[in-house]
Every structure is written in C-alpha cells, then in structure tokens.
Amino acid sequence: SIYMLGFDIQDTAGYNYNVYSGTTNYDASNATVQDYKWRRDFAHIARAYSEVNFAFVYPTSGHILPKEWAGITNVRAINHYTFAQETDL
C-alpha cells in the first residue's frame, strides 16, 4: 500500500493548498488552482499499477475522491485514525 499524505488535490476555489503558495515562483495563497491534470495523471498511474493500493489520508472521514477516480478499485480515502491503525503508529 502507498499512503498519500499532503497530496495537493484542490477542492476549494480561491484557496491554494500548496505549502509553497505565496512564495517565489509559486501562485498566490488565494489563487484558484486547476488540478485536472493531476487527477487525470493519477488515474493513469492507479490503473497501470492495479496491484498497488493507494490510500489518500485526510484529517477526518467523509472526503470524496475526484470523479475521475470513480471505479478505480485500488484507490480510497481514509482518515488519520484509520491510517494510524493500518500502519501500526
């Protein structure tokens, strides 16, 4: 399994989740970032490596993965608690 922490999926218009936003050579912290290429590219990766399980780790439950990933059975969203349980932290 590969656990994805801090992956820059953008879901809020007017807010840039990139940790480097607002610094030299990066968009402003309030810039709307289009992430369709990241979503598309990751879908290709997940399909190419179907034997690998990808888990996107979010602080709380209830996060919905991008629609481009619907039907990709080796991709899921989990919360911090589940991450800690699965990795024995």
Side-chain angles (χ1 to χ4, degrees), residues 2-7 55-60 63 76-84:
I2 296 176
Y3 294 92
M4 309 291 284
L5 289 94
F7 197 78
F56 286 81
V57 182
Y58 296 101
T60 58
H63 286 272
R76 64 193 172 110
I78 63 173
N79 62 28
H80 286 167
Y81 179 76
T82 302
F83 171 66

Side-chain angles (χ1 to χ4, degrees), residues 5-73:
L5 289 94
F7 197 78
D8 290 328
I9 295 296
Q10 305 286 308
D11 63 356
T12 306
Y15 185 78
N16 188 344
Y17 289 115
N18 189 313
V19 68
Y20 300 107
S21 64
T23 64
T24 303
N25 299 320
Y26 287 87
D27 290 333
S29 298
N30 63 350
T32 298
V33 178
Q34 300 296 321
D35 67 352
Y36 64 91
K37 289 180 182 178
W38 285 103
R39 295 188 315 256
R40 180 201 61 205
D41 292 349
F42 181 76
H44 291 299
I45 291 167
R47 288 186 182 106
Y49 295 94
S50 60
E51 72 284 359
V52 176
N53 292 309
F54 296 93
F56 286 81
V57 182
Y58 296 101
T60 58
S61 298
H63 286 272
I64 299 170
L65 294 174
K67 63 183 177 184
E68 294 88 348
W69 303 349
I72 303 175
T73 59

